Amino acid sequence: MLLNRGRRISREAVIEAMWGGAAPSTARSQVHNAVTVIRAHLAELGAPEVLDSGPSGYELLVEPEQVDISRFDDGVRLARDAAVRGGPRRRRGCCAARWGCGAASRSRTPPARSWKRPGRGSWSGG
């Protein structure tokens, strides 16, 4: 549903996406049960109205900036625009500001090679 943000998705489309043409006879009730669980989790997070449903299907009512793929697409667009206007240095600044990467984040986040894997020591990272 997040990949189809802003569009209502029919129950049949959800079933097709989940089971790819091999849906069990209980598919409709499984989708209904899953939506019920998702609604409960959203209510716990203080956002019960985010998942809208009706006879024509389901829709997640979220803003583009609340969805990672939308933010990524915006970042790609911004980087392309920056490339046209200012070259590679400007692209790096755009990345650092948008995603917290690059020189701007080095003082706050240790490099990946020093991160610890639970119960396995350090990442090799080399």
Side-chain angles (χ1 to χ4, degrees):
M1 284 184 254
L2 285 172
L3 294 176
N4 291 286
R5 186 192 57 72
R7 289 180 281 178
R8 189 166 290 278
I9 306 302
S10 70
R11 284 177 183 81
E12 292 72 25
V14 172
I15 290 169
E16 177 63 27
M18 292 179 70
W19 287 284
S25 61
T26 58
R28 287 182 71 82
S29 63
Q30 287 187 49
V31 168
H32 175 76
N33 292 340
V35 167
T36 300
V37 170
I38 292 168
R39 280 187 200 285
H41 287 296
L42 289 169
E44 289 173 10
L45 295 170
E49 70 287 346
V50 170
L51 180 55
D52 184 48
S53 63
S56 61
Y58 305 100
E59 182 177 357
L60 285 172
L61 306 173
V62 294
E63 297 299 322
E65 62 273 3
Q66 294 175 295
V67 181
D68 289 347
I69 189 69
S70 297
R71 291 194 329 249
F72 176 81
D73 288 343
D74 287 347
V76 169
R77 182 185 46 74
L78 289 171
R80 285 183 179 143
D81 292 348
V84 169
R85 287 189 317 271
R89 190 173 287 253
R90 184 156 176 115
R91 283 194 305 270
R92 268 197 311 277
C94 175
C95 172
R98 181 80 174 187
W99 296 101
C101 59
S105 68
R106 286 192 186 123
S107 63
R108 293 175 294 183
T109 306
R113 69 182 64 126
S114 69
W115 292 347
K116 301 283 185 189
R117 287 189 290 180
R120 295 187 181 185
S122 296
W123 289 97
S124 57

